[in-house]
Each structure stands twice: as structure tokens, then as C-alpha cells.
Amino acid sequence: MLHKERRNPTAPAIDPDDADGGDLSVGDPQLGKSRLLSRQCDTCVFAPGNKMRLTPGRLHDLVAEARTRQSFIICHSTLPHYKHPEVKPAICRGFADRYDTQALQLIARLFGFVEVDPPEQGPSEFSAST
């Protein structure tokens, strides 16, 4: 899930592929900071082995789009329609550790990050095709 560049980098636009149109803000209104995963989730798209079973070239396209927009990727395991609806959207740690975009720089300078743990999920929980 990509953050669409806007004036407020912590309030991403809804991706047209997001059917439920839920709130995808990575901003924590109580803390005034943006949520960033404390570590990569168990099925991070940046982990070796293609655990998300992405089609060839899909990760490259996601990264290219996020970098072109000077934005970031929201971790799939924190999306509201995924396995853990109670979890709030957070910036993908795999992306943030590898790329330094304008949105990430602005968030760091203006708001800061609050690190949150990825949701726990067992290997039998995962079933996705992208």
C-alpha cells in the first residue's frame, strides 16, 4: 500500500485498490507522531523468499512508485482489511530502512516517529496472492 503524496505526509490518500476506503493515516493523533514498525513484519515484502508471493516485478513497481512520489509504503500487515483489523496503519520498516524519501524526511523533522511492533501472526495465518 503506497502513501499518496499530500500536504500532510501523515494523512495518505486512499489507494484506488483499497476497496473498503478505510482510514490509512499512519499518524497517531494522541502523540502527534507517525507510526513506523519497530521491525519488519513476518511477511515483509523486503524479506528474502517472497513470503507475500508477489508477482515478478511487483515489488520493484511499488518501490519505484513510492520513490517517484517521494512517499513511503504502508505495511500490508497493518492495513485495516488484513488479518488484524484492530491494528493501525504503520510505515513499512523494510521500506524505511532502505529508502530516504522526502515524506520520511519531513515526518522525521516535523513530527517524529513512534515505533510500533508489527502484529503477531503465525505461518498458518498467512494466505495471500498479489
Side-chain angles (χ1 to χ4, degrees), residues 20-78:
D20 73 352
D23 178 19
L24 294 181
S25 174
V26 296
D28 183 310
Q30 269 69 39
L31 298 176
K33 298 181 181 287
S34 294
R35 288 181 293 274
L36 169 66
L37 286 186
S38 60
R39 65 183 183 281
Q40 287 184 191
C41 72
D42 292 341
T43 54
C44 185
V45 295
F46 292 96
N50 193 16
K51 294 177 181 181
M52 279 293 295
R53 295 188 289 256
L54 296 177
T55 57
R58 179 70 176 136
L59 179 58
H60 177 269
D61 292 346
L62 289 170
V63 169
E65 184 177 345
R67 292 182 73 197
T68 297
R69 293 175 185 267
Q70 287 297 307
S71 189
F72 53 82
I73 294 175
I74 296 175
C75 174
H76 66 276
S77 69
T78 67

Side-chain angles (χ1 to χ4, degrees), residues 4 8 17 27 37 62 97 108 112 126:
K4 308 284 181 164
N8 179 352
D17 293 333
L37 286 186
L62 289 170
D97 285 349
F126 179 71

Side-chain angles (χ1 to χ4, degrees), residues 78-116:
T78 67
L79 294 174
H81 61 272
Y82 197 61
K83 301 273 184 198
H84 306 280
E86 74 286 355
V87 174
K88 301 290 184 195
I91 297 169
C92 172
R93 189 61 189 228
F95 183 85
D97 285 349
R98 288 165 177 79
Y99 303 101
D100 189 30
T101 63
Q102 185 178 32
L104 292 174
Q105 291 173 17
L106 285 171
I107 292 169
R109 290 183 184 139
L110 297 176
F111 308 108
F113 296 100
V114 58
E115 291 192 0
V116 295

